[in-house]
């Protein structure tokens, strides 16, 4: 019986060792996979930022979208994506990217960034409306000036024509007066 207990103990020790080895291997795989995922995420974020600074906005968009697919709860990826779209002049796409980020992360910085884009758009729209108003006013004033010029020209022509007649009549009257006197 003692040998049987020793055999069972050896089996249990061996089984425990195998189980511990499997647990350690699983833990290492999880840790390494996590590090690999974090490394991939950081690589994409770094690439996106590099492309942004170089003005390669399409490449930056691809890199930030890749970062989002690796970890959707990364505010920096959404911010970079929005910056790329904004630098391309596509504020609507920038706001959409920020909205996706807000929904995925609830990040206040993304909300603030989206609000700043919206405020800037409102300012730009107001400035454009003012510029259009000023242009319309300038055109209206130009038309008024042209009308005035046309009226003055017509008056000058009329005066020249009528003035000549008046001078001629005045000369005739003067001639008649001198004859009579």
């Amino acid at each position: 019986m003692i040998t049987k207990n020793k055999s069972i103990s050896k089996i249990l020790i061996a089984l425990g060792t195998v189980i511990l080895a499997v647990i350690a291997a699983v833990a290492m795989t999880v840790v390494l996979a996590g590090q690999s995922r974090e490394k991939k995420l950081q690589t994409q974020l770094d690439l996106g930022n590099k492309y942004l600074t170089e003005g390669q906005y399409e490449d930056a968009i691809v890199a930030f979208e890749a970062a989002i697919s690796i970890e959707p709860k990364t505010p920096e990826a959404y911010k970079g994506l929005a910056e790329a779209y904004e630098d391309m002049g596509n504020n609507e796409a920038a706001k959409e990217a920020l909205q996706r980020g807000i929904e995925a992360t609830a990040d206040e910085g993304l909300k603030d960034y989206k609000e700043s884009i919206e405020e800037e758009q409102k300012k730009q729209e107001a400035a454009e409306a003012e510029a259009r108003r000023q242009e319309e006013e300038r055109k209206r004033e130009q038309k008024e000036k042209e009308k005035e010029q046309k009226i003055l020209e017509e008056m000058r022509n009329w005066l020249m024509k009528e003035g000549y007649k008046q001078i001629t009549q005045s000369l005739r009257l003067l001639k008649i007066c001198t004859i009579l006197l």
Side-chain angles (χ1 to χ4, degrees):
M1 181 100 169
I2 293 179
T3 52
K4 196 174 189 182
N5 282 341
K6 281 186 178 181
S7 294
I8 291 176
S9 291
K10 285 182 181 180
I11 291 173
L12 288 176
I13 290 173
L15 186 59
T17 305
V18 168
I19 290 173
L20 284 175
V22 168
I23 291 172
V26 168
M28 287 298 288
T29 302
V30 168
V31 168
L32 289 176
Q35 286 178 347
S36 175
R37 183 177 174 165
E38 288 176 16
K39 187 175 181 180
K40 287 178 185 176
L41 173 64
Q42 192 58 52
T43 298
Q44 292 303 317
L45 291 173
D46 292 344
L47 266 175
N49 288 322
K50 175 184 175 275
Y51 290 139
L52 262 181
T53 58
E54 293 174 353
Q56 297 176 1
Y57 304 120
E58 292 87 3
D59 293 333
I61 290 168
V62 170
F64 288 124
E65 287 288 3
I68 291 167
S69 70
I70 294 168
E71 178 51 63
K73 294 190 180 285
T74 307
E76 184 182 347
Y78 295 100
K79 182 178 181 287
L81 183 61
E83 286 178 14
Y85 281 124
E86 188 178 21
D87 288 347
M88 290 174 65
N90 191 345
N91 288 338
E92 291 306 313
K95 290 191 306 187
E96 289 171 13
L98 290 168
Q99 185 60 41
R100 282 178 37 213
I102 292 165
E103 291 169 4
T105 68
D107 184 76
E108 288 298 318
L110 295 177
K111 290 178 186 176
D112 293 342
Y113 186 17
K114 183 180 177 196
E115 288 173 5
S116 74
I117 290 175
E118 290 169 342
E119 288 174 19
E120 192 59 37
Q121 273 186 307
K122 287 178 184 175
K123 287 179 186 176
Q124 186 175 2
E125 288 168 1
E128 289 170 357
E130 177 61 18
R132 281 191 304 274
R133 187 198 64 74
Q134 288 178 355
E135 180 63 18
E136 289 170 6
E137 178 67 19
R138 187 193 64 74
K139 286 180 180 178
R140 187 190 63 72
E141 288 174 357
Q142 181 65 30
K143 282 184 180 180
E144 285 295 318
K145 189 175 181 180
E146 288 171 2
K147 263 185 178 176
E148 289 173 5
Q149 290 294 331
K150 186 175 179 181
I151 290 170
L152 287 174
E153 183 66 28
E154 288 174 0
M155 287 177 66
R156 185 172 36 246
N157 289 340
W158 182 83
L159 283 174
M160 287 179 72
K161 180 179 170 185
E162 292 302 312
Y164 177 76
K165 287 180 183 176
Q166 289 297 323
I167 291 172
T168 306
Q169 285 179 354
S170 295
L171 286 174
R172 283 187 196 145
L173 282 175
L174 187 61
K175 198 176 194 181
I176 292 172
C177 287
T178 52
I179 295 174
L180 291 176
L181 290 176

